Each structure stands twice: as structure tokens, then as C-alpha cells.
Amino acid sequence: MPRWLPRAMVVALALLACFQLASWAFHQLVGLLINILIAFFLALAIEPAVARLSARGMRRGLATGLVLLGIAVAVAGFFALLGSMLADQITTMVANFPSYVDSVIGWVNRTFRTDFSRVEIQQSVLHSDWLQKYVKNSAGGVLDVSATVLGGLFQLLTVVLFSFYFAADGPRLRRALCSVLPPNRQAEVLRAWELAVAKTGGYLYSRALMALISGIAHYVLLEILGVPYAPALAIWVGFVSQFIPTIGTYLAGALPMLIAFTVDPWYAVWVLGFVVVYQQFENYVLQPRITARTVDIHPAVAFGSVIAGTALLGAVGALIAIPATATLQGFLGAYVKRYDVADDPRVHGRRPDDGPRSSALARLLRALRER
């Protein structure tokens, strides 16, 4: 056996053990890393507001706290409006549930010539075995639901704390990052950081503005139709359609259609038609004008980035895919050298003239047009 072979085997086994340990640690910390990534993009989004308040003499930590407090108040108000609307709707449905049951039973008795009664059906349902099993299983799952809620609150607290630290100590963080880089790389890192702040903030600004316009438009429609809870539904449509990628429009329009259907089925059709028409107006008129100066991404690139982000990180990847892609596109655009495009018909999708026959045909058509 060569003398170097035992040492090589020991080194290989040590490297394999280190790799296994690093892989295990990465899989254990992937949740924390995702929370840190969300917090970083949230800090980039609030960076312009924090910098503006800090420029007016306010301490950066206090400015960050005020911005986060404003976001928390806005989110809490949104869920309060939505919760009150859902609570009122559920209360109305529970109060009218006996009449709904009586109407269904009456229709069944008239159609199938049966003799059912609501009291008998209630007694049979209450004393059924499947209901008792369902209640027992639900009681056993209360602990799981409580653990899920507590875990979600802990993750939210983690994101908020890291966002506060990233935004409040932004200059110190950039200084610490640049201190380990050579001078020629520091300018590139700072430029990438500025691009990330501009693109992320611009993305949220454009989405917030389009959400406001969408909410006002849908509020006017719902008020004209007399649909209840018009303000809450308008806020729901504006928020969900803009901040949930790809399927947000369909989720946003489903709830107003359902509430409008309880008033009049034709109102649901009107709401559906308005949602479709407004979506086309937003895609082809409103969104290009608003996002042209903030997040200039081709729709196909945006859709592909959302799909890729969803495949990698799920819902979190879908939310941060567009600002991350815009940042990468802006960073690459600053360093990719571009040239003037030759005046070739193939650039415009036309075929060049090939031979004297095509030239003669072109001259003949030109002469006919002149006559």
C-alpha cells in the first residue's frame, strides 16, 4: 500500500463527513434562510421611506419603526375590514339557514314526492356516527392548529425583527460588506444595492398605485349595483389582484361575484364581465404606463420568473421573483455592451428581396400603386 493512500482515505472521509454535516445544517436552517430572504426584500422595499425620514433629522431606528408600524396598521385594517365583512355574511347565512333548508326540503318533496321534514333531518344528522367521529377528530386536531398558528406568529416576528435590523442598520451593513472587498468591487456592490432598492421599491409603489386604482374602480361598480360591503370588497380586489401573482385576479374576483350572487345572479355576471374588461385595460394600458419607469420587465419574463420562483421557494418565491428579476436585469443592463442594429428587413419580420424576380415584382407593384 502506498504511504499516501491512508492519509488520502482519511481526508476523503473527513471531507465527506463535513459535506454531510453542512447538508444537514442547511436543510435544518432552510426555513430561517427563507425568512431572512423575505426580511431582506422587505427592508429594501421600505428603504426609500426610511431614508427620506432619516434625511429630515429623524434617527434611522425610529424612522424604521414608524414605517413598519404604518405597514402593520394598514395590514391590520385590511384584515379587520375583511373579517367584519365575513363575520356579518356568516351571521346572515346562519340566521337564514333554516329557511334555506326548508326551501330545499320543499323542492325535494315536490319533485320526488317525498315526505321529509326539517326536524327529522336534524335529529338524524345530530345522532349520526360520522358527525361524532368528525367532532372527535376535530378536537384532537386543535393542538395541531394551535401549533401551526404559533409557528406562523414566530416566523412573522422573525421576519419583522430582521427587516428592522436590515433597514435600521443599512449603512452599517453596507460598510461592513464593502470592508471585505477590494476598492474596485465596492462600487459594483453599492450599485447593485441601489438597483435592488430602486427596483423593489418601484415594484411595490407601482403595485400599490394599481391596487388603489383597481379598488376605486370596483368600488364604483359595486356601489352602482348595490352590492353590500362594497368598501371591503374593493379593498380585497385591489390588494389580492396586485400582490398575489398569476392567480390573484381570479381570487380577487371570486369573492365579489359570490356576494353579488346572493343579491341577484345577474349582478354576478356583471361583476365577472367588469373584472375581465378591467383586467385587459390594466394589462395593456395602465400597467405599461405605471411600470415603465419602475419595473420595466417584459410580461413573458415576469411570468417565467414567477413560475421559477414558485418552483424554488413556493409562495415566497412568487412574491419576490419580479423585484429580484428586475434587479438582475437592471444590473446586467448596466454592464452588457449594446450595438446599433443593422437596417435589415429581417429585423422587422420581413424577408429580404431574393433575386431580380423579386425586384421586378416590387417595381411593378410600386408602379401600380402610383397609378
Side-chain angles (χ1 to χ4, degrees):
M1 178 183 299
R3 294 182 179 180
W4 55 266
L5 185 58
R7 182 178 300 177
M9 294 177 62
V10 171
V11 171
L13 291 177
L15 291 176
L16 180 61
C18 292
F19 173 77
Q20 293 289 341
L21 182 60
S23 177
W24 172 81
F26 175 78
H27 285 89
Q28 294 295 323
L29 298 176
V30 65
L32 177 62
L33 296 177
I34 292 176
N35 291 334
I36 293 176
L37 182 63
I38 299 172
F40 178 71
F41 274 94
L42 181 58
L44 292 179
I46 66 175
E47 175 68 24
V50 173
R52 190 172 303 172
L53 293 176
S54 179
R56 295 182 178 180
M58 186 180 297
R59 290 189 305 172
R60 194 172 179 88
L62 180 59
T64 305
L66 289 178
V67 173
L68 291 177
L69 181 61
I71 295 174
V73 170
V75 173
F78 169 75
F79 282 106
L81 286 175
L82 184 63
S84 63
M85 179 192 67
L86 293 178
D88 293 341
Q89 194 68 22
I90 292 173
T91 302
T92 303
M93 293 177 63
V94 171
N96 297 329
F97 185 74
S99 61
Y100 295 155
V101 174
D102 289 337
S103 62
V104 172
I105 292 174
W107 178 81
V108 171
N109 290 334
R110 290 191 304 269
T111 304
F112 300 100
R113 296 180 180 181
T114 56
D115 191 16
F116 293 114
S117 64
R118 178 160 56 90
V119 177
E120 295 177 354
I121 295 176
Q122 289 178 351
Q123 292 295 330
S124 61
V125 170
L126 292 175
H127 294 86
S128 60
D129 295 335
W130 66 269
L131 181 61
Q132 296 177 1
K133 293 180 180 179
Y134 176 77
V135 171
K136 292 180 180 179
N137 294 331
S138 300
V142 169
L143 295 177
D144 296 336
V145 174
S146 302
T148 303
V149 171
L150 291 177
L153 292 176
F154 180 75
Q155 291 182 357
L156 179 62
L157 181 61
T158 303
V159 170
V160 171
L161 287 178
F162 274 105
S163 301
F164 177 82
Y165 291 138
F166 285 150
D169 293 338
R172 187 184 305 174
L173 180 61
R174 288 190 289 270
R175 191 180 302 110
L177 182 61
C178 292
S179 64
V180 297
L181 297 174
N184 58 344
R185 296 295 181 184
Q186 293 178 8
E188 297 180 2
V189 171
L190 294 177
R191 179 177 178 81
W193 195 291
E194 291 179 358
L195 281 173
V197 171
K199 294 300 182 180
T200 306
Y203 170 73
L204 292 180
Y205 167 77
S206 60
R207 289 296 174 179
L209 183 58
M210 287 191 295
L212 178 62
I213 298 174
S214 176
I216 293 174
H218 288 84
Y219 171 75
V220 172
L221 172 69
L222 297 174
E223 280 291 334
I224 293 175
L225 295 179
V227 178
Y229 315 108
L233 290 175
I235 295 175
W236 164 265
V237 172
F239 181 83
V240 175
S241 62
Q242 301 302 324
F243 290 98
I244 297 182
T246 308
I247 61 173
T249 302
Y250 309 104
L251 293 178
L255 185 59
M257 288 175 55
L258 180 62
I259 303 299
F261 185 83
T262 59
V263 179
D264 191 341
W266 284 106
Y267 288 176
V269 178
W270 278 101
V271 173
L272 175 62
F274 183 82
V275 168
V276 173
V277 172
Y278 181 83
Q279 185 65 28
Q280 303 306 314
F281 169 75
E282 181 183 283
N283 291 337
Y284 294 101
V285 178
L286 190 62
Q287 184 172 352
R289 295 179 181 271
I290 293 179
T291 60
R293 297 181 180 180
T294 55
V295 187
D296 189 11
I297 301 180
H298 193 274
V301 177
F303 181 75
S305 63
V306 170
I307 297 299
T310 305
L312 292 175
L313 298 176
V316 176
L319 290 175
I320 66 176
I322 294 179
T325 304
T327 302
L328 181 61
Q329 178 178 334
F331 185 71
L332 293 178
Y335 293 96
V336 174
K337 186 177 181 180
R338 298 183 181 273
Y339 301 91
D340 294 333
V341 180
D343 190 10
D344 195 312
R346 288 171 292 186
V347 175
H348 306 285
R350 298 191 300 267
R351 297 184 60 185
D353 297 335
D354 48 354
R357 181 178 298 178
S358 299
S359 301
L361 181 60
R363 288 194 297 269
L364 178 61
L365 292 177
R366 192 180 303 111
L368 292 176
R369 283 197 298 267
E370 292 177 355
R371 291 182 182 180

